[in-house]
Amino acid sequence: MRQYQYNGQQVPPVRRNSYGSQLWYIWGPIVVKLIIGIIVSGVTGAAIGSAYLLKHYGISVQSIDNEKLMQQFLNIYQRDYTQIMQAVTMEAYKLSAYVEGVAALITIPILLLMFRKDRLREKTVGFTPNKKAPLWKYAAVALLSAALCVGVNNLLIIGNITTISEEYQSVMVGFYSAPLPVQALSLGILVPICEELVFRGLVYQRLRMRSGFVMAALNSALIFSLLHGNVVQMIYAFLLGVVYAYMYEKYGSVKAPIMAHMVANLISVFATYYKCFEWMAKVPMRMGIITIACGTIASSMYVWMRGIDERPDHPDKPKHTLNQENLTSQL
């Protein structure tokens, strides 16, 4: 069987009892995130629908217990189905930032438990993680992420890609209709923590333990992008997903991609609120110069990050050798 290298350490293929357990081990964190998101969205949609029916038709949950009123409700629902669904959908979009924040807040503790369990498994089998970069080197994380956020968004605007997706326009209106503090807390802090624990801390790292960096980074970034649901965010999320995986690899800590994701989202929130992208787009030369500057900064930070030595100290010592039997039984 093929042996993989993780910065000098042999990582034997992980054997599982069944194909289903293998799938759950890799994609389980994503399923957990999706289920919680669906539940929160469903509860929100039900609450919005109930409030709409009560306001416009005088129908409450209690009144539906009456058989006659129930039939009346069904007749109204069939007659005005399109109108009701459009109204509920529009209200749900307006609460998107709240819903995302609540779902992330519920999901984060569960993901932290899964993340901690994975790290304990690695210690048990004798795996030595990458060295953690010192705090001062995180300045490069912030600069690279900020430059990519602005630069990639500018390229999407220049290429008119942001205008081809109605779904993207609706999502953005929904996200940015909440008050600025709610956007900053939900989209700028809670969502990045949640998504990075899922896609880098769990999915990427689990893939990385059984494949090379490139395949693990591309696969985790691809799933990350597809779950955004529209072509504009897919492009943006895929590019940043690969970069975040590289940061995780070089810095040896999930704090690096979390910080990068926070910086990117907060810049998007404040730049949208204060119409910075519109200001840049008014003068094509201005947008072009800023985009080139962002590319220069991003490439410079990438070159600098390449110099970070993330390899564990003395990976060839016996205590750093992974035990095939332990890895098979515990992972």
Side-chain angles (χ1 to χ4, degrees), residues 207-259:
L207 289 170
R208 183 69 175 92
M209 291 296 291
R210 63 190 64 198
S211 68
F213 164 75
V214 173
M215 290 305 300
L218 290 177
N219 285 328
S220 60
L222 179 61
I223 300 300
F224 178 54
S225 68
L226 290 175
L227 291 181
H228 281 77
N230 61 79
V231 66
V232 179
Q233 286 183 296
M234 285 180 185
I235 296 171
Y236 182 78
F238 181 79
L239 292 174
L240 266 63
V242 174
V243 173
Y244 294 162
Y246 182 74
M247 289 178 177
Y248 189 20
E249 187 87 2
K250 298 297 288 185
Y251 281 77
S253 173
V254 74
K255 296 183 185 71
I258 287 176
M259 178 182 177

Side-chain angles (χ1 to χ4, degrees), residues 261-323:
H261 201 152
M262 282 184 177
V263 169
N265 281 21
L266 286 170
I267 287 177
S268 293
V269 165
F270 284 99
T272 301
Y273 185 83
Y274 290 107
K275 303 185 185 302
C276 295
F277 291 113
E278 294 179 13
W279 172 77
M280 286 185 282
K282 285 181 180 179
V283 182
M285 180 64 72
R286 178 195 296 157
M287 176 165 274
I289 292 173
I290 292 174
T291 304
I292 292 172
C294 287
T296 302
I297 294 171
S299 59
S300 299
M301 292 301 99
Y302 167 72
V303 171
W304 186 85
M305 281 184 188
R306 288 189 62 185
I308 297 176
D309 183 11
E310 77 279 12
R311 294 171 299 177
D313 294 325
H314 310 297
D316 56 327
K317 287 187 177 181
K319 68 177 182 179
H320 294 152
T321 303
L322 290 173
N323 183 284

Side-chain angles (χ1 to χ4, degrees), residues 13 43 63 65 75 90 98 136 161 184 226-227 249 251 257 283 295:
V43 171
S63 66
D65 291 336
N75 292 337
M90 288 180 63
Y98 294 91
W136 67 270
I161 298 176
L226 290 175
L227 291 181
E249 187 87 2
Y251 281 77
V283 182

Side-chain angles (χ1 to χ4, degrees), residues 57 59 71-81 84:
Y57 300 99
I59 299 174
Q71 186 59 48
Q72 179 185 355
F73 163 71
L74 291 175
N75 292 337
I76 292 173
Y77 188 74
Q78 291 176 352
R79 185 191 67 197
D80 299 341
Y81 172 80
I84 293 172

